[in-house]
Amino acid sequence: MKTFRLVQVRLVQDEYGNELNLPVELLDGLIISKEHDNEWLLEMLVPTEFAVTLHHYLNKRILLLAEAVITSPANRPAALALTFTSERSLSDHHTFVAEGLMLMPKQDPTKQVLDSLISEGVANAELKPSFFEKQMEQQQSFSRSAFTQLVKTGSFE
Protein backbone atom coordinates (compact mmCIF):
# COMPACT_ATOMS: atom_id res chain seq x y z
CA MET A 1 0.00 0.00 0.00
CA LYS A 2 1.15 3.52 -0.78
CA THR A 3 0.26 6.50 1.36
CA PHE A 4 0.07 10.11 0.18
CA ARG A 5 -0.81 13.42 1.79
CA LEU A 6 -4.37 14.53 1.12
CA VAL A 7 -4.24 18.28 0.46
CA GLN A 8 -7.82 19.16 -0.54
CA VAL A 9 -11.16 17.40 -0.91
CA ARG A 10 -14.30 18.75 -2.53
CA LEU A 11 -17.60 16.87 -2.58
CA VAL A 12 -19.02 17.41 -6.07
CA GLN A 13 -22.26 15.45 -6.35
CA ASP A 14 -24.26 12.80 -4.51
CA GLU A 15 -25.69 9.57 -5.90
CA TYR A 16 -29.10 11.24 -6.35
CA GLY A 17 -27.68 13.80 -8.78
CA ASN A 18 -27.62 16.69 -6.30
CA GLU A 19 -24.82 19.18 -6.95
CA LEU A 20 -22.82 19.76 -3.76
CA ASN A 21 -19.68 21.75 -4.62
CA LEU A 22 -18.68 21.44 -0.95
CA PRO A 23 -15.02 21.92 0.01
CA VAL A 24 -14.12 19.77 3.02
CA GLU A 25 -12.42 21.79 5.78
CA LEU A 26 -9.32 19.62 6.06
CA LEU A 27 -6.92 20.11 8.93
CA ASP A 28 -4.91 17.14 7.73
CA GLY A 29 -5.44 14.05 5.66
CA LEU A 30 -4.05 10.90 4.12
CA ILE A 31 -5.02 8.93 1.05
CA ILE A 32 -3.92 5.32 0.83
CA SER A 33 -3.88 3.14 -2.27
CA LYS A 34 -5.21 -0.32 -1.43
CA GLU A 35 -3.48 -1.47 -4.65
CA HIS A 36 -6.53 -3.46 -5.63
CA ASP A 37 -8.82 -2.43 -8.49
CA ASN A 38 -8.25 1.31 -8.01
CA GLU A 39 -9.54 1.21 -4.42
CA TRP A 40 -8.48 4.00 -2.08
CA LEU A 41 -8.88 4.79 1.60
CA LEU A 42 -9.08 8.42 2.73
CA GLU A 43 -8.63 9.66 6.28
CA MET A 44 -9.64 13.26 6.93
CA LEU A 45 -9.11 15.30 10.07
CA VAL A 46 -11.74 18.06 10.22
CA PRO A 47 -12.80 20.66 12.79
CA THR A 48 -15.69 19.67 15.06
CA GLU A 49 -17.99 22.32 13.55
CA PHE A 50 -17.55 20.78 10.08
CA ALA A 51 -18.11 17.21 11.33
CA VAL A 52 -21.90 17.67 11.33
CA THR A 53 -21.86 18.05 7.55
CA LEU A 54 -19.86 14.87 6.96
CA HIS A 55 -21.76 12.98 9.64
CA HIS A 56 -24.93 13.28 7.49
CA TYR A 57 -23.22 11.50 4.58
CA LEU A 58 -21.77 8.86 6.91
CA ASN A 59 -25.13 8.02 8.51
CA LYS A 60 -26.93 7.70 5.18
CA ARG A 61 -24.01 5.85 3.47
CA ILE A 62 -24.46 8.11 0.45
CA LEU A 63 -22.16 7.52 -2.52
CA LEU A 64 -20.43 10.77 -3.44
CA LEU A 65 -18.43 12.07 -6.37
CA ALA A 66 -15.43 13.87 -4.90
CA GLU A 67 -12.29 15.56 -6.15
CA ALA A 68 -9.12 15.05 -4.15
CA VAL A 69 -5.84 16.91 -4.53
CA ILE A 70 -2.97 14.66 -3.54
CA THR A 71 0.53 15.60 -2.31
CA SER A 72 0.72 19.21 -3.55
CA PRO A 73 -1.85 22.00 -3.99
CA ALA A 74 -0.42 22.48 -7.50
CA ASN A 75 -1.58 19.01 -8.60
CA ARG A 76 -4.78 18.53 -10.56
CA PRO A 77 -7.63 16.93 -8.60
CA ALA A 78 -8.36 13.23 -8.95
CA ALA A 79 -11.99 12.11 -9.16
CA LEU A 80 -13.22 9.53 -6.67
CA ALA A 81 -16.53 7.82 -6.01
CA LEU A 82 -16.50 7.45 -2.24
CA THR A 83 -18.57 6.58 0.80
CA PHE A 84 -17.81 7.63 4.36
CA THR A 85 -17.38 4.52 6.50
CA SER A 86 -16.43 5.69 9.98
CA GLU A 87 -15.98 8.66 12.25
CA ARG A 88 -13.98 9.15 15.41
CA SER A 89 -14.32 12.08 17.77
CA LEU A 90 -11.14 13.59 19.18
CA SER A 91 -10.87 16.51 21.64
CA ASP A 92 -11.68 19.33 19.22
CA HIS A 93 -11.48 17.50 15.89
CA HIS A 94 -13.10 14.57 14.12
CA THR A 95 -11.54 11.95 11.92
CA PHE A 96 -13.58 10.60 9.03
CA VAL A 97 -12.63 7.59 6.95
CA ALA A 98 -13.96 7.09 3.43
CA GLU A 99 -13.43 4.32 0.93
CA GLY A 100 -13.66 4.83 -2.77
CA LEU A 101 -12.72 4.13 -6.34
CA MET A 102 -10.53 6.43 -8.39
CA LEU A 103 -12.41 7.31 -11.58
CA MET A 104 -9.87 7.32 -14.39
CA PRO A 105 -10.38 6.79 -18.11
CA LYS A 106 -8.81 3.64 -19.51
CA GLN A 107 -7.01 5.67 -22.18
CA ASP A 108 -5.16 8.97 -21.87
CA PRO A 109 -7.36 11.62 -23.55
CA THR A 110 -4.44 14.01 -24.19
CA LYS A 111 -4.23 13.37 -27.95
CA GLN A 112 -8.00 13.78 -28.33
CA VAL A 113 -7.93 17.13 -26.49
CA LEU A 114 -5.02 18.41 -28.57
CA ASP A 115 -6.58 17.27 -31.87
CA SER A 116 -9.84 18.98 -30.90
CA LEU A 117 -8.08 22.30 -30.21
CA ILE A 118 -6.11 22.16 -33.46
CA SER A 119 -9.29 21.46 -35.44
CA GLU A 120 -10.87 24.51 -33.72
CA GLY A 121 -7.97 26.63 -34.99
CA VAL A 122 -6.41 27.33 -31.59
CA ALA A 123 -2.69 28.03 -32.02
CA ASN A 124 0.44 29.64 -30.61
CA ALA A 125 0.08 31.42 -27.26
CA GLU A 126 -3.57 30.37 -26.89
CA LEU A 127 -2.81 26.67 -27.22
CA LYS A 128 -1.33 25.97 -23.78
CA PRO A 129 -4.03 27.64 -21.63
CA SER A 130 -6.77 26.32 -23.91
CA PHE A 131 -5.30 22.82 -23.68
CA PHE A 132 -5.32 22.76 -19.87
CA GLU A 133 -8.82 24.26 -19.72
CA LYS A 134 -10.23 21.75 -22.20
CA GLN A 135 -8.38 18.89 -20.49
CA MET A 136 -9.97 19.85 -17.15
CA GLU A 137 -13.42 20.08 -18.76
CA GLN A 138 -12.98 16.66 -20.32
CA GLN A 139 -11.79 15.18 -17.01
CA GLN A 140 -14.81 16.60 -15.17
CA SER A 141 -17.16 15.35 -17.88
CA PHE A 142 -15.64 11.85 -17.67
CA SER A 143 -15.82 11.88 -13.85
CA ARG A 144 -19.51 12.80 -13.84
CA SER A 145 -20.33 10.25 -16.52
CA ALA A 146 -18.36 7.48 -14.79
CA PHE A 147 -19.97 8.36 -11.44
CA THR A 148 -23.47 8.23 -12.95
CA GLN A 149 -22.68 4.87 -14.55
CA LEU A 150 -21.28 3.57 -11.23
CA VAL A 151 -24.44 4.64 -9.39
CA LYS A 152 -26.70 2.98 -11.98
CA THR A 153 -24.78 -0.22 -12.70
CA GLY A 154 -22.22 -0.69 -9.94
CA SER A 155 -19.24 -0.30 -12.32
CA PHE A 156 -17.77 2.20 -14.76
CA GLU A 157 -15.77 2.12 -17.98
Side-chain angles (χ1 to χ4, degrees), residues 5-43:
R5 182 165 177 254
L6 188 58
V7 178
Q8 295 173 352
V9 176
R10 184 172 66 92
L11 305 179
V12 177
Q13 179 181 336
D14 69 17
E15 64 186 270
Y16 306 108
N18 298 315
E19 292 292 321
L20 303 174
N21 195 24
L22 177 66
V24 174
E25 291 182 37
L26 273 184
L27 299 173
D28 204 358
L30 296 173
I31 182 165
I32 303 164
S33 168
K34 294 170 103 180
E35 296 184 357
H36 180 264
D37 293 334
N38 247 354
E39 293 179 18
W40 293 77
L41 184 74
L42 292 81
E43 185 170 11

Side-chain angles (χ1 to χ4, degrees), residues 129-143:
S130 296
F131 175 80
F132 288 116
E133 181 181 320
K134 190 157 195 133
Q135 190 177 40
M136 185 62 80
E137 288 171 7
Q138 188 171 29
Q139 179 183 342
Q140 289 172 341
S141 174
F142 171 81
S143 300

Side-chain angles (χ1 to χ4, degrees), residues 9-109:
V9 176
R10 184 172 66 92
L11 305 179
V12 177
Q13 179 181 336
D14 69 17
E15 64 186 270
Y16 306 108
N18 298 315
E19 292 292 321
L20 303 174
N21 195 24
L22 177 66
V24 174
E25 291 182 37
L26 273 184
L27 299 173
D28 204 358
L30 296 173
I31 182 165
I32 303 164
S33 168
K34 294 170 103 180
E35 296 184 357
H36 180 264
D37 293 334
N38 247 354
E39 293 179 18
W40 293 77
L41 184 74
L42 292 81
E43 185 170 11
M44 295 169 255
L45 183 67
V46 301
T48 298
E49 59 273 8
F50 191 77
V52 174
T53 302
L54 296 184
H55 192 74
H56 165 75
Y57 297 115
L58 170 67
N59 282 342
K60 303 245 185 219
R61 297 282 187 201
I62 296 173
L63 184 63
L64 301 163
L65 174 60
E67 291 181 343
V69 176
I70 302 168
T71 307
S72 168
N75 289 339
R76 281 189 280 152
L80 294 137
L82 60 81
T83 304
F84 287 98
T85 57
S86 68
E87 172 189 13
R88 192 166 135 196
S89 178
L90 305 170
S91 59
D92 57 346
H93 306 91
H94 284 250
T95 299
F96 283 85
V97 174
E99 294 184 20
L101 294 173
M102 185 123 1
L103 303 175
M104 298 186 317
K106 300 223 184 278
Q107 296 179 339
D108 182 6

